Amino acid sequence: MRTDKKSGVQKRRRLAGEILEYLLLSLAISAFTFCFLYFTSESMADTYLAGRDVVLSPSGQTVLGVWLRSICLTASVVLFLILFLFLLGQRMAYLLKIIHGVDDLQASHMDASILLEGNDELTELAEKINALAESERELDRKERQMKEERDAWIRSLSHDIRTPLTSMISYTQLLADRHSLSETDIRDYIHLIQAKTEQIRELTDRLSGRKRQNPEKVEHIRLLLEQLALEWEESLEGHFSCEADFSGLTDFSGMADIYAFRRIFDNLASNTLKYADPAQPVTLTVTGKENLMIIIQKNGVKKYDSSPESTGIGLENIRRIAADYDGTLEVRRSREDFSLEISMKIPACL
């Protein structure tokens, strides 16, 4: 704090020093001008009077001297004022530039800056205004970024809510035709509907901001993935020939957000239903060990023009979830085949 105060005093002295310098310079030039005018005019008067053989009385010489000094002093004072105000005005004009710069900042929503001139308090003022404008621009940039991230997050969860809703509609339509279902099938479908309902509630809680990522201890990661793969397969049942392979996955424990994992498999199923070729099989391969997990899905691509255009939200959701686990998503496309590879590092149990 003491250092800041001292530096502030020094900067104020620089501006005061500049003004004092202008004052002394103006005084020096005015004094020189007075002396030059007085002695020159006195010499010219003596020469003029001597050329005309005019001899002034002592009182006349006194009056002439007072008259010459008055004229020279007046001229010197006028010169002093003009010179001092001119020099001071040159520096004060920078203050007007700062004022106009502030107006430009307001008009351009802080997207401008004030040109720095000199090295005094006015320059410090301009620097602080520029720093304030830069801070305002940075806050505005972060606000826009946060808004974009929140909008993307809302679109992501809204997209993921549709997938369990679609499954619930399919299951309720099957339950409507009770004659073709056994009691076991009915109980299974009711259990699936309850699970999807719980999933929707979890997603809406996160959408409203009441709940975020919630990792919990999972003793058997492989068992969890097999259950999610079973739901994935049931979602595609009747539309695709599905095959899930877990032979390359060793069982391990870790901290996992079960609903985030379910969102991954729901997005896989949703993308498959929209864009995959029903005539070709869909394979899901899960491998990994020592908390590293890799999920690979391969399927064919629809060859007719009626397939909807991809928004990319589903894949972006998977990419974000994978990033939460220090993982990545790699997508490979061709005209006939589509595959994606998800790698994730599951944290060890606390």
Side-chain angles (χ1 to χ4, degrees), residues 222-232 234 246 262:
R222 174 168 177 161
L223 179 60
L224 170 64
L225 295 176
E226 287 177 345
Q227 292 174 347
L228 295 176
L230 180 61
E231 294 180 12
W232 166 84
E234 288 175 346
F246 287 84
R262 179 170 277 113

Side-chain angles (χ1 to χ4, degrees), residues 294-325:
I294 298 176
I295 303 173
I296 300 175
Q297 177 177 307
K298 296 181 179 181
N299 57 264
V301 178
K302 288 183 179 179
K303 297 181 177 59
Y304 44 89
D305 298 332
S306 61
S307 59
E309 183 179 353
S310 174
T311 60
I313 296 179
L315 294 179
E316 188 59 31
N317 291 345
I318 296 175
R319 193 185 308 277
R320 287 198 184 97
I321 296 173
D324 291 337
Y325 289 88

Side-chain angles (χ1 to χ4, degrees), residues 151-282:
D151 290 344
W153 181 65
I154 292 175
R155 288 195 302 269
S156 170
L157 289 180
S158 300
H159 174 272
D160 287 351
I161 287 174
R162 290 198 300 268
T163 301
L165 277 176
T166 302
S167 300
M168 288 176 63
I169 292 173
S170 300
Y171 297 148
T172 52
Q173 288 175 346
L174 290 172
L175 287 174
D177 188 11
R178 298 173 59 95
H179 300 291
S180 60
L181 299 175
S182 64
E183 292 297 327
T184 302
D185 291 335
I186 293 175
R187 284 196 300 269
D188 291 341
Y189 283 130
I190 292 175
H191 174 73
L192 289 172
I193 291 175
Q194 290 174 341
K196 296 299 180 183
T197 303
E198 181 65 25
Q199 183 180 353
I200 291 175
R201 188 183 71 173
E202 177 75 15
L203 290 171
T204 53
D205 285 345
R206 298 189 181 191
L207 182 60
S208 61
R210 292 195 295 269
K211 188 179 291 186
R212 293 282 182 159
Q213 187 178 10
N214 183 30
E216 57 185 276
K217 183 177 180 181
V218 179
E219 292 291 347
H220 302 284
I221 295 292
R222 174 168 177 161
L223 179 60
L224 170 64
L225 295 176
E226 287 177 345
Q227 292 174 347
L228 295 176
L230 180 61
E231 294 180 12
W232 166 84
E233 192 170 353
E234 288 175 346
S235 300
L236 302 178
E237 188 178 8
H239 302 279
F240 298 89
S241 172
C242 301
E243 179 182 349
D245 181 10
F246 287 84
S247 60
L249 177 65
T250 58
D251 197 13
F252 59 90
S253 61
M255 301 297 294
D257 185 347
I258 296 177
Y259 285 95
F261 279 36
R262 179 170 277 113
R263 288 176 63 193
I264 289 178
F265 281 85
D266 283 347
N267 277 290
L268 291 177
S270 176
N271 279 3
T272 302
L273 288 170
K274 290 180 182 178
Y275 312 116
D277 183 2
Q280 300 186 43
V282 180

